[in-house]
Amino acid sequence: MELTSDVLDGARRGNRSAIVELLTMHYPIVWRMAVGLTGRQDVGRGVTKYLMQRSLRAMPRWKDEGAPLRWFHHHTLLSTRRTEKHSPQPGQDTLIQTGADAPAYVAFIHALRSLPMQQREAFLLCYGEKLETRAIAVAMDCSIVAAGNHLREATDRLRALGPEDFDAHSKLMGQTYQKLAPDEELSVQDVRQRVRRYLFPYFLRRTAGRLVSLVLFAAVLYGTYWVYQMVEHSLEK
């Protein structure tokens, strides 16, 4: 499903159904990235909820249909970097199907997690999220050349572990990554809850702003009338 200009415009204006549709569309992407990059369901869940809430404030600044996806890619990456200390426990990585994967694949994922942060991100965004180098560069906030270098270095290091197994392991990793999307009904329910929490203060602020504007307008009218009365009174004298 692609984001239309009508949905984006409605969401920017604070239309509830448009906001739900926009966030529901991007929720699985954020969840998949957060859980895949951190290797933990609990940490990924926290990152996803945080970004769903924060995106509501950023929404009015999205000018084109591609802006939301670029924003979510970039800020999901930034948020997962702040969780670096919460690494997955051995054997409990979200990219490992506990008890079902061969020891060589488990070692491959452990080696992936041990890569320098930017190399690990570039590899997961390419082989897991299936992003092209340009999109990886936008997400990582670096040049296309730098993103390509990070990806190449990560690939070379992981391939050196076992050249004959690299293609199979990277393919299995990508398939496991793509299955990280949350239950659809759960995502919709979570988005709706967060939209409700946001829209109340949103409409409250908007109503308060209108009241303040109305009071100021009334004050200006009263001031103008008062000056007029003073001038008219002085002319009568």
Side-chain angles (χ1 to χ4, degrees):
M1 181 184 299
E2 294 185 0
L3 178 64
T4 65
S5 58
D6 290 340
V7 172
L8 177 60
D9 291 342
R12 292 178 59 197
R13 293 194 304 269
N15 179 275
R16 177 174 172 175
S17 61
I19 293 175
V20 170
E21 183 174 349
L22 188 153
L23 295 188
T24 303
M25 189 182 305
H26 293 87
Y27 189 104
I29 299 171
V30 176
W31 175 277
R32 187 170 58 235
M33 283 186 63
V35 173
L37 287 167
T38 62
R40 292 180 51 161
Q41 288 270 355
D42 55 345
V43 176
R45 183 181 297 108
V47 169
T48 303
K49 290 184 177 181
Y50 167 73
L51 288 174
M52 288 296 106
Q53 185 67 43
R54 186 178 177 189
S55 67
L56 293 166
R57 299 181 181 180
M59 200 172 292
R61 299 192 297 273
W62 294 340
K63 303 300 183 182
D64 60 82
E65 290 85 346
L69 184 58
R70 293 192 298 270
W71 188 93
F72 280 117
H73 279 164
H74 178 57
H75 286 276
T76 303
L77 204 63
L78 291 181
S79 297
T80 56
R81 286 176 179 177
R82 301 189 188 102
T83 69
E84 185 74 10
K85 63 180 180 180
H86 302 293
S87 58
Q89 297 297 320
Q92 297 182 0
D93 195 295
T94 55
L95 297 178
I96 296 175
Q97 300 175 10
T98 305
D101 293 320
Y105 174 74
V106 174
F108 177 84
I109 296 301
H110 288 167
L112 171 61
R113 293 299 179 193
S114 67
L115 291 175
M117 179 182 66
Q118 291 178 310
Q119 293 181 22
R120 181 173 67 248
E121 291 171 348
F123 190 86
L124 285 169
L125 291 178
C126 175
Y127 288 88
E129 195 59 32
K130 310 301 182 184
L131 298 185
E132 296 184 354
T133 308
R134 182 181 296 275
I136 294 174
V138 172
M140 296 180 66
D141 194 21
C142 65
S143 68
I144 296 177
V145 173
N149 288 338
H150 293 315
L151 177 59
R152 184 177 61 256
E153 291 168 0
T155 302
D156 290 344
R157 290 191 179 193
L158 293 175
R159 191 184 297 275
L161 296 175
E164 68 283 358
D165 295 326
F166 174 81
D167 290 339
H169 289 164
S170 58
K171 181 179 180 180
L172 179 57
M173 186 278 295
Q175 293 172 343
T176 306
Y177 181 100
Q178 287 295 319
K179 295 177 182 178
L180 295 176
D183 178 77
E184 183 178 358
E185 184 60 32
L186 176 63
S187 66
V188 172
Q189 182 180 1
D190 184 75
V191 168
R192 286 175 176 168
Q193 289 175 349
R194 294 192 170 273
V195 169
R196 282 198 296 268
R197 294 173 190 170
Y198 166 75
L199 288 184
F200 176 73
Y202 170 82
F203 285 122
L204 188 62
R205 289 194 300 270
R206 190 168 70 172
T207 302
R210 289 176 177 176
L211 288 175
V212 170
S213 299
L214 183 61
V215 170
L216 291 175
F217 180 70
V220 170
L221 286 180
Y222 177 78
T224 302
Y225 175 76
W226 183 81
V227 170
Y228 172 78
Q229 289 291 100
M230 291 290 293
V231 171
E232 185 179 36
H233 181 69
S234 63
L235 290 177
E236 289 179 352
K237 292 183 178 181

